[in-house]
């Protein structure tokens, strides 16, 4: 049997950074530390951090007062940040820098009175965090499919952004439809899809040309 290893593979820099933040917090403060949402979608990493003393929670109200709270690489909403302050937590932000860039972009575009449209998967932690950057008077519109674009009714200026971990191939059709329906829609200055994610997807495509089975 011939085994091929995809290159690149493994975690991106943002995920490595988030894991290191949890481990450093445990080293500095001792256990437990509380992490909102799984720091990365990998059960082996999560299990290892649990064994070291990390407790993963879905909501801040699951965290006792005056504890250490870590935001996962996926980022969090402004509401979650306020909740963490209310329980007087020591907070470490492990949000991926690219996700932070998207959050800042949403805020900036809303200040410019743009209707922001987010391409992403409903219910994903990163998407929930990005939607939660909205101002009280303006909400970000989420689209998952080309058909969702058909249902949009936007007046005035519009801009779009994307979940960082999407496939460029899968997203392109939605972007094309947005530009067709809203010819003046503003695109991000730089691609919001993570280049590391795209590189790994490209590596998988390449390796599957000569392989019958792929193990992830």
């Amino acid at each position: 049997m011939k085994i091929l290893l995809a290159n690149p593979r493994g975690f991106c820099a943002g995920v490595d950074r988030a894991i290191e933040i949890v481990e450093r917090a445990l080293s500095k403060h001792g256990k437990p530390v509380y992490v909102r949402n799984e720091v990365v979608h990998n059960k082996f990493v999560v299990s290892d951090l649990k064994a070291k003393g990390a407790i993963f929670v879905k909501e801040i109200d699951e965290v006792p007062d005056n504890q250490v709270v870590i935001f996962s690489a996926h980022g969090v909403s402004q509401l979650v940040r306020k909740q963490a302050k209310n329980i007087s937590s020591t907070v470490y932000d492990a949000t991926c820098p690219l996700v932070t860039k998207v959050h800042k972009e949403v805020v900036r575009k809303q200040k410019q009175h743009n209707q922001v449209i987010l391409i992403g998967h409903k219910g994903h932690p990163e998407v929930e965090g990005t939607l939660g950057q909205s101002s009280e008077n303006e909400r970000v519109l989420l689209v998952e499919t080309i058909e969702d674009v058909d249902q949009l009714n936007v007046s005035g200026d519009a801009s779009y952004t994307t979940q960082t971990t999407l496939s460029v191939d899968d997203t392109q059709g939605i972007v094309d439809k947005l530009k067709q329906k809203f010819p003046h829609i503003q695109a991000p200055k730089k691609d919001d899809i993570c280049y590391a994610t795209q590189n790994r997807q490209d590596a998988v495509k390449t390796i599957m040309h000569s392989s019958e089975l792929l193990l992830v």
Side-chain angles (χ1 to χ4, degrees):
M1 179 185 295
K2 185 177 182 180
I3 298 177
L4 302 175
L5 296 178
N7 186 26
R9 62 185 181 275
F11 298 134
C12 64
V15 169
D16 282 337
R17 172 179 173 273
I19 295 169
E20 183 179 0
I21 287 173
V22 177
E23 291 179 334
R24 286 193 176 191
L26 283 165
S27 177
K28 179 177 181 178
H29 299 279
K31 58 184 181 181
V33 301
Y34 292 82
V35 186
R36 188 183 183 276
N37 281 324
E38 293 184 349
V39 70
V40 58
H41 295 311
N42 185 294
K43 66 180 180 180
F44 299 103
V45 171
V46 170
S47 295
D48 179 60
L49 292 175
K50 283 181 178 179
K52 293 177 179 178
I55 298 175
F56 294 89
V57 298
K58 286 290 185 182
E59 304 297 341
I60 294 297
D61 61 15
E62 300 175 53
V63 181
D65 289 354
N66 302 309
Q67 296 295 312
V68 176
V69 175
I70 302 170
F71 300 146
S72 77
H74 305 107
V76 298
S77 67
Q78 292 300 321
L79 176 61
V80 169
R81 292 183 182 278
K82 290 179 182 178
Q83 291 172 335
K85 287 182 179 179
N86 289 341
I87 61 172
S88 301
S89 297
T90 299
V91 176
Y92 291 96
D93 189 353
T95 303
C96 169
L98 181 57
V99 175
T100 298
K101 175 253 185 189
V102 172
H103 288 183
K104 290 181 178 179
E105 187 174 305
V106 168
V107 173
R108 180 171 60 86
K109 288 298 183 181
Q110 287 196 328
K111 286 181 178 179
Q112 295 172 354
H113 306 293
N114 273 230
Q115 172 59 68
V116 180
I117 299 167
L118 171 65
I119 302 171
H121 297 307
K122 184 178 181 180
H124 189 282
E126 181 189 326
V127 168
E128 291 180 346
T130 302
L131 292 175
Q133 305 306 310
S134 300
S135 63
E136 293 183 1
N137 299 322
E138 298 181 68
R139 66 188 183 96
V140 176
L141 301 179
L142 176 65
V143 295
E144 297 183 88
T145 65
I146 292 175
E147 290 72 26
D148 289 341
V149 177
D150 291 328
Q151 305 302 315
L152 290 177
N153 184 14
V154 176
S155 59
D157 295 331
S159 61
Y160 74 86
T161 186
T162 68
Q163 180 182 331
T164 64
T165 51
L166 295 179
S167 160
V168 170
D169 296 340
D170 293 343
T171 307
Q172 190 59 54
I174 300 175
V175 171
D176 291 343
K177 185 66 176 181
L178 283 170
K179 291 180 178 179
Q180 177 187 341
K181 185 167 184 176
F182 309 109
H184 301 294
I185 194 169
Q186 298 179 37
K189 289 185 177 180
K190 292 185 178 181
D191 195 346
D192 287 337
I193 293 178
C194 173
Y195 73 89
T197 298
Q198 184 62 37
N199 288 345
R200 283 153 179 75
Q201 291 170 353
D202 290 342
V204 167
K205 290 178 186 177
T206 300
I207 206 169
M208 286 309 295
H209 288 316
S210 56
S211 303
E212 297 180 358
L213 175 67
L214 176 69
L215 300 177
V216 180

